[in-house]
Amino acid sequence: MWRQHRYKMLLSALLLLSGLLLAVNTGEAKAGNQFDWLDVLGEGTTLLVACGWLGLIISSRPTGRVTEWLYYGSLLLVYSYFLDLLDEFIRYPDHIRLMSWLESLPAPVGMLVLTYGLVGWHREQRAINRQLRGRELYLRDHQLIDPLTQLYGMEYLKAVLQREIELHQSQQSSLSMLVLDINNFSGFNRRCGMAAGDAYLGRLSELLTNQLRHSDVICRYAGDRFIALLPATALPQAQIMAQHLRQQLAQLTSHNDEPELTIQALAVQQSCAKTALQSADKALAQAKAATTLELQRT
Amino acid sequence: MPARSFSYQDKVLLLQHGSTELLALAQRRGALLHKLLSGTNIFEQDLHRPHGRLHHADWLKLLQNCQQQVSSPELPFLLGDALLNSSYISLCKSLQYARNLRQALTQLYYFRHQLFPGIFAKAYQTQQQLVIELHPALGFANQHTFMLATVFSLLVSLLKQQLGTLTGVTIRLQQDVPENLLQQQFYWGCTVSFNQYCDSLSIPLPLCYQTFTDADPVKFRAAKRTCLQLNRVLSPQRGLLECIYTLQQRALPVLLTQQHVADALGLSGSSLKRQLRQHHTNFANLIDQVRRDAARKVLQQGNCSNRQLAMMLGYSDEHNFRRAFKRWTGFIPSDYKSVFNFN
């Protein structure tokens, strides 16, 4: 967030510096015994708190209209408090009224600006809340997350796939899919017990989440079948990813008699999620048949 | 037929024969044990006692809790599989060591009170198929689908493991077509049809005699011995609905009266009525169901005129029978027969 506000920070530094220079030029320093330390403490704390507000605004808000209002309001406050603090150390000649105006005028203006910004912020938050509530309802409604693997389930996959297909068609970019299936998982369950099978599914889903990109949507389709959607990825790239995944998973799971995986990459060219998933099933069945045939030959 | 029938409050289920597996599955899916057990009379320390028991009211509550706590549609399918491969259940072990499906099914039927006392099966044979119809032996209310899915999953897993094929196997369910068929397709992998007249599994006859891959007579006998020993702890008992169903089925073409059945079961007429209400059914309904199933069975098996059928089922004339049949199935008997034979 800091980087978005470089110019603002530069401006504020310049403003405060100019205030300091003006004060030093017009007035003269007080002697040490004339300082009222209680005033210094009070005004210093106010200044620090106002500076803290500036820092919080900069670090937490993106650039935008509401942020500008909030920032400049606080900046005016900071400016006014800064001069307020300076006059504890510097005495101004009586005939120059400029410094006392500069000290007292920006504060109320800053307050008004800040309040206007806060109203804007309130509206913004209400809109966000409304949107979030809508989304949360959707999540609760469908209970989309598979409790075992913490991946999304089939309902979510169908919805997202349909949306992505439409999006990619309008942008004319390519969408790919990885289908992953465990060979003879029921046999593994039978040999090692269902607890081991469930633990393996959990581990596998973690590995998948780590190995794929953030933008990829990984879902547990059903039982021991997983589907990963790869947005903006062409088929050759998806095939490279599948190969990479095969190697990584083989290394990570080779320590005991864990089952082997079939991973198949395919491009999504259908215009409907249902047919796309059907073709994924078909491709996977073909890949499985091919591997069993190879095993029989050897 | 034992004189006494069990009801919701009789402890006829073993904790080790289902509950522990179900709880383990739900716990691995993030549910908390105390929440799963809330509202039941099951204590945590009893779960691993070898002959700990529970009654059907608790079992139904447990099923409900599991589905509330875990949003996982695969639960009944996995439970069936887990039961089949559980090392605690000697009945399931004996199923896998059986010579063939016929022996396994006979074994399962004989010892069914050890695994699924709440469901009873009626099997019959047509020219090409063995049909196993499943009926609830006590009212499951909204857990019926879950229980059926579990039993069918167990049977289908047994077929897959021991025969390696499901060609020609069909599951027919009474329920409506669910929104999402994926779990059924994925875990069963055979033809499933919905909105049928009865929950049944039909298996081609050749599959019934194909030798199991793990067939082992010695181990089978050993497992059967353990089952027999378990019989001393858990004597065979039948559910109320099963008792009435069987009584009426044997009595056809005579129709039993409510008082007759109550006498046979050692109950008073009013308490029979009250118990049936607990099971969400009534006497007339049950008798109707027996006649319906019998009519369908006879029509599928062979050629029988409507007149003969009406006589067999205790109808006063052919016309009444035809009207009843149309109410059950929406077809008149001859149409039903031709539809079935065409298939």
Side-chain angles (χ1 to χ4, degrees), chain A residues 143 145-148 154-155 158 181 186 189-190 194-196 198-199 201 220-225 281, chain B residues 21 24-25 28-30 68 70-72 74 78-79 81-82 85 96 161-162 179-180 182-183 186-187 214:
Chain A
Q143 296 184 313
I145 292 176
D146 171 53
L148 181 67
M154 220 268 309
E155 296 288 320
K158 265 189 185 162
D181 195 279
S186 57
N189 264 339
R190 213 181 142 200
M194 202 154 267
D198 281 349
L201 282 180
R220 184 175 175 215
Y221 185 54
D224 56 340
R225 188 168 301 176
D281 281 343
Chain B
E21 297 287 345
L25 278 171
R28 288 202 293 273
R29 279 157 185 75
Q68 260 168 18
V70 183
S71 70
S72 187
E74 58 183 359
L78 290 178
L79 180 63
D81 208 19
N85 295 312
Q96 309 201 24
Q161 278 176 20
Q162 298 302 331
E179 252 177 61
N180 193 344
L182 189 74
Q183 303 293 336
F186 205 85
Y187 283 100
D214 292 338

